[in-house]
Amino acid sequence: DDNGVATLGKNTLPEDFEGMVESFKNNEKAQSDSKIAINASEKLPYGKVMRIVAAARRAGISTVSLASERVSG
């Protein structure tokens, strides 16, 4: 969100990398689908998004995509 809080479903992801990995490992839907889509605020620093991507991959999620909205103008 605009405050830098990342969630997985309705649960807040921990700030630390290993905590994120464990959250992905313990999420049944993410594990059974083996994919997630990240929907991040444009205010979220790139590095934080990349840490989430890396944590998901470390947890065995094979497909990590970035959700996007249409940009007008």
Side-chain angles (χ1 to χ4, degrees):
D1 69 5
D2 287 346
N3 296 316
V5 177
T7 58
L8 179 59
K10 295 183 181 189
N11 300 315
T12 301
L13 276 175
E15 288 287 323
D16 68 289
F17 183 78
E18 290 304 323
M20 283 187 218
V21 172
E22 287 305 309
S23 290
F24 285 117
K25 284 183 178 180
N26 294 327
N27 186 283
E28 290 181 28
K29 180 159 178 46
Q31 289 298 315
S32 66
D33 292 350
S34 194
K35 66 181 179 180
I36 63 163
I38 297 173
N39 184 5
S41 165
E42 64 184 38
K43 294 179 182 179
L44 192 67
Y46 177 80
K48 186 161 187 175
V49 174
M50 290 296 92
R51 284 184 42 168
I52 294 168
V53 169
R57 289 193 174 142
R58 171 84 57 90
I61 309 298
S62 59
T63 303
V64 179
S65 61
L66 300 177
S68 64
E69 295 180 12
R70 289 187 178 211
V71 177
S72 61

